[in-house]
Amino acid sequence: MDLKEIQNLIKFVANSGVAEVKLEMDDVKITIRTTLEGNVTEATYLQMPAAQPALQPAVVPQQIAPVATPATPAAPAENSNYITIKSPIIGTFYRKPSPDKPMFVEVGSTIAKGNVLCVIEAMKLFNEIESEVSGKIVKILVDDMSPVEYDQPLFLVDPS
């Protein structure tokens, strides 16, 4: 938002007869208060720190994870001989290194210790998640571009 848009917004609020308006967009927070007597207008501008927008996406995994959790315990119980590879961090799960590249692994892929299985984006950093076991991918438990939590199961691997 530029200065002219803010000035126009202040004029609009002052003429509308509204006592207070709060506007929050990406990294800007504006509060405009008016008093009816004398039509005095006070505007407060706050630049939000970069850490606060990151907190809002953190709420999304907490809301989504409980929906996926009931299905997750059932899979290891049925397949107790499989090894579960879990997320070491909170972030966004990606199955590809970039949108135009192929998937790191598919169901049925044979993996070796140290192979990259996926990428998890956390705080604008892309962390490659490497396999700690060798085997065959039996199941991928998370959808591409989904939020994941710490210790959330990502893959089932048959070590044999």
Side-chain angles (χ1 to χ4, degrees), residues 55-75:
L55 293 177
Q56 292 172 346
V59 173
V60 175
Q62 293 173 355
Q63 294 171 349
I64 293 173
V67 175
T69 303
T72 306

Side-chain angles (χ1 to χ4, degrees), residues 24-29 45-53 56:
E24 293 182 28
M25 298 183 326
D26 296 337
D27 60 345
V28 178
K29 181 177 178 182
Y45 310 97
L46 296 175
Q47 186 78 21
M48 300 294 281
Q52 285 196 355
Q56 292 172 346

Side-chain angles (χ1 to χ4, degrees), residues 17-83:
V18 177
E20 182 175 328
V21 172
K22 291 183 181 181
L23 177 65
E24 293 182 28
M25 298 183 326
D26 296 337
D27 60 345
V28 178
K29 181 177 178 182
I30 300 173
T31 303
I32 302 171
R33 290 185 191 94
T34 60
T35 57
L36 297 178
E37 46 188 85
N39 209 11
V40 177
T41 304
E42 173 189 329
T44 306
Y45 310 97
L46 296 175
Q47 186 78 21
M48 300 294 281
Q52 285 196 355
L55 293 177
Q56 292 172 346
V59 173
V60 175
Q62 293 173 355
Q63 294 171 349
I64 293 173
V67 175
T69 303
T72 306
E78 295 169 3
N79 307 311
S80 60
N81 59 334
Y82 296 148
I83 296 172

Side-chain angles (χ1 to χ4, degrees), residues 82-103:
Y82 296 148
I83 296 172
T84 304
I85 297 176
K86 298 180 180 181
S87 175
I89 56 175
I90 295 173
T92 304
F93 174 86
Y94 293 101
R95 293 186 55 202
K96 303 180 200 181
S98 65
D100 58 334
K101 303 281 184 187
M103 304 278 186

